[in-house]
Amino acid sequence: MKFFVDSAVVDDIKQAKALGLADGVTTNPTLIRKSGRDFREAITEISGLVQGPVLAEPVSETVEGILKEGRELAGWAPNVYVKIPLTRAGLEAVQIFRKEGIRSALTLIFNAAQALLAAKAGASIICPFVGRLDDIASPGMALIREIVDLYSNYPDIETEVIVASVRNANHVVEAAACGADGVTIPSKVIEQMMKHPLTDSGIRQFLADWNKVQ
Ligand code: G3P
């Protein structure tokens, strides 16, 4: 399973990379704002740190605007994918990008119908948001299972399912159990995944015993 870092903060990406957990990076306008960096500078630096896709999002809502911004983003580094919210304009833009050899990801996906349209348009990646579905009492992981099952009926679909809006370690484990291609996760979830109180107490016990025999 691929691990993308859901952050535009260079230190987050470096730390995940040291753990072998930076197969790609996802950003969005909110994450760019939180990083406090200039958009182009941040994406260019991040793209040099990882080999895999770095997703950067235009803010235009028209086909023409998405194409203009997306072409510029794709020119910043060879591994930049244009990340576009799933709208009519987004679907149109993805098909044009595909013909131009620009790879794209469709984001803000909340149901299986949108996931089917995204695959049909030829998006390289889709980002269904599990946490935001859970927030409105609609089980996010049920959507991932549904999309993975649907896509598996059509072996010619190459669109990867990268689970987004991941809020905890269980989301990651469940995404793996569903057979998602990957997850995009914030640093705090990587930290959570490493932690278990029995690991900590076990280490303390080992050290205490070791010190007794010195
Ligand atoms: O990759 C999408 C992610 O950044 C959204 O997460 O927690 O704001 O729903 P969240």
Side-chain angles (χ1 to χ4, degrees), residues 6 26 28 31 83 129 132 164-165 167 184:
D6 199 22
T26 51
N28 59 38
L31 293 173
K83 187 185 189 204
F129 277 38
R132 293 189 194 187
S165 188
R167 306 271 177 79
T184 183

mmCIF file of all heavy atoms in Angstrom, residues 6 26 28 31 83 129 132 164-165 167 184, ligand 1:
data_model
loop_
_atom_site.group_PDB
_atom_site.id
_atom_site.type_symbol
_atom_site.label_atom_id
_atom_site.label_comp_id
_atom_site.label_asym_id
_atom_site.label_seq_id
_atom_site.Cartn_x
_atom_site.Cartn_y
_atom_site.Cartn_z
ATOM 1 N N ASP A 6 0.130 13.855 3.779
ATOM 2 C CA ASP A 6 -0.909 14.863 3.579
ATOM 3 C C ASP A 6 -0.443 16.167 4.231
ATOM 4 O O ASP A 6 -0.919 16.533 5.308
ATOM 5 C CB ASP A 6 -2.219 14.359 4.211
ATOM 6 C CG ASP A 6 -3.442 15.094 3.680
ATOM 7 O OD1 ASP A 6 -3.374 15.669 2.577
ATOM 8 O OD2 ASP A 6 -4.478 15.086 4.365
ATOM 9 N N THR A 26 0.290 14.786 -0.866
ATOM 10 C CA THR A 26 -0.915 15.500 -1.294
ATOM 11 C C THR A 26 -0.948 16.864 -0.614
ATOM 12 O O THR A 26 -0.632 16.990 0.564
ATOM 13 C CB THR A 26 -2.205 14.733 -0.918
ATOM 14 O OG1 THR A 26 -2.151 14.400 0.467
ATOM 15 C CG2 THR A 26 -2.359 13.480 -1.729
ATOM 16 N N ASN A 28 -3.325 20.724 -0.631
ATOM 17 C CA ASN A 28 -4.539 21.426 -1.077
ATOM 18 C C ASN A 28 -4.378 22.872 -0.623
ATOM 19 O O ASN A 28 -3.416 23.185 0.105
ATOM 20 C CB ASN A 28 -5.816 20.748 -0.530
ATOM 21 C CG ASN A 28 -5.856 20.700 0.977
ATOM 22 O OD1 ASN A 28 -5.446 21.638 1.652
ATOM 23 N ND2 ASN A 28 -6.343 19.595 1.535
ATOM 24 N N LEU A 31 -3.789 23.269 3.090
ATOM 25 C CA LEU A 31 -2.474 22.814 3.575
ATOM 26 C C LEU A 31 -1.368 23.782 3.164
ATOM 27 O O LEU A 31 -0.411 23.995 3.914
ATOM 28 C CB LEU A 31 -2.174 21.396 3.058
ATOM 29 C CG LEU A 31 -3.083 20.288 3.623
ATOM 30 C CD1 LEU A 31 -2.808 18.965 2.912
ATOM 31 C CD2 LEU A 31 -2.882 20.129 5.128
ATOM 32 N N LYS A 83 -4.368 18.269 -9.071
ATOM 33 C CA LYS A 83 -5.441 17.734 -8.220
ATOM 34 C C LYS A 83 -6.663 18.641 -8.348
ATOM 35 O O LYS A 83 -6.571 19.849 -8.082
ATOM 36 C CB LYS A 83 -4.931 17.710 -6.775
ATOM 37 C CG LYS A 83 -5.837 17.025 -5.781
ATOM 38 C CD LYS A 83 -5.231 17.210 -4.403
ATOM 39 C CE LYS A 83 -5.903 16.394 -3.354
ATOM 40 N NZ LYS A 83 -5.701 17.011 -2.015
ATOM 41 N N PHE A 129 -12.811 11.030 0.536
ATOM 42 C CA PHE A 129 -12.553 11.598 1.877
ATOM 43 C C PHE A 129 -13.316 10.819 2.947
ATOM 44 O O PHE A 129 -14.521 11.022 3.125
ATOM 45 C CB PHE A 129 -13.026 13.057 1.914
ATOM 46 C CG PHE A 129 -12.033 14.056 1.358
ATOM 47 C CD1 PHE A 129 -11.252 13.763 0.250
ATOM 48 C CD2 PHE A 129 -11.906 15.302 1.952
ATOM 49 C CE1 PHE A 129 -10.351 14.691 -0.260
ATOM 50 C CE2 PHE A 129 -11.010 16.246 1.447
ATOM 51 C CZ PHE A 129 -10.229 15.939 0.348
ATOM 52 N N ARG A 132 -14.344 13.094 6.495
ATOM 53 C CA ARG A 132 -15.461 14.052 6.368
ATOM 54 C C ARG A 132 -16.790 13.342 6.224
ATOM 55 O O ARG A 132 -17.837 13.888 6.595
ATOM 56 C CB ARG A 132 -15.210 15.011 5.199
ATOM 57 C CG ARG A 132 -14.027 15.928 5.483
ATOM 58 C CD ARG A 132 -13.870 17.027 4.480
ATOM 59 N NE ARG A 132 -12.538 17.635 4.644
ATOM 60 C CZ ARG A 132 -12.125 18.709 4.008
ATOM 61 N NH1 ARG A 132 -12.929 19.320 3.150
ATOM 62 N NH2 ARG A 132 -10.913 19.190 4.212
ATOM 63 N N ALA A 164 -8.260 9.607 1.436
ATOM 64 C CA ALA A 164 -7.901 10.903 2.034
ATOM 65 C C ALA A 164 -8.822 11.234 3.209
ATOM 66 O O ALA A 164 -9.751 10.481 3.504
ATOM 67 C CB ALA A 164 -8.002 11.993 0.968
ATOM 68 N N SER A 165 -8.510 12.359 3.855
ATOM 69 C CA SER A 165 -9.231 12.771 5.051
ATOM 70 C C SER A 165 -9.134 11.682 6.118
ATOM 71 O O SER A 165 -10.100 11.335 6.782
ATOM 72 C CB SER A 165 -10.697 13.094 4.699
ATOM 73 O OG SER A 165 -11.398 13.653 5.763
ATOM 74 N N ARG A 167 -8.011 10.335 9.561
ATOM 75 C CA ARG A 167 -7.904 11.038 10.845
ATOM 76 C C ARG A 167 -7.243 10.207 11.937
ATOM 77 O O ARG A 167 -6.926 10.742 12.990
ATOM 78 C CB ARG A 167 -9.302 11.447 11.321
ATOM 79 C CG ARG A 167 -10.107 12.243 10.308
ATOM 80 C CD ARG A 167 -9.851 13.732 10.451
ATOM 81 N NE ARG A 167 -10.577 14.490 9.443
ATOM 82 C CZ ARG A 167 -11.873 14.786 9.517
ATOM 83 N NH1 ARG A 167 -12.593 14.383 10.560
ATOM 84 N NH2 ARG A 167 -12.454 15.489 8.557
ATOM 85 N N THR A 184 -3.478 8.851 2.164
ATOM 86 C CA THR A 184 -2.691 10.049 2.390
ATOM 87 C C THR A 184 -2.942 10.495 3.808
ATOM 88 O O THR A 184 -4.097 10.631 4.229
ATOM 89 C CB THR A 184 -2.968 11.153 1.352
ATOM 90 O OG1 THR A 184 -2.089 12.240 1.649
ATOM 91 C CG2 THR A 184 -4.411 11.623 1.313
HETATM 92 O O1 G3P B 1 -6.173 15.047 1.656
HETATM 93 C C1 G3P B 1 -7.367 15.615 2.110
HETATM 94 C C2 G3P B 1 -7.269 16.010 3.532
HETATM 95 O O2 G3P B 1 -6.309 16.996 3.675
HETATM 96 C C3 G3P B 1 -8.546 16.463 4.151
HETATM 97 O O3 G3P B 1 -8.467 16.092 5.454
HETATM 98 O O4 G3P B 1 -9.051 16.101 7.817
HETATM 99 O O5 G3P B 1 -9.428 18.166 6.409
HETATM 100 O O6 G3P B 1 -10.870 16.176 6.116
HETATM 101 P P1 G3P B 1 -9.523 16.675 6.494
#
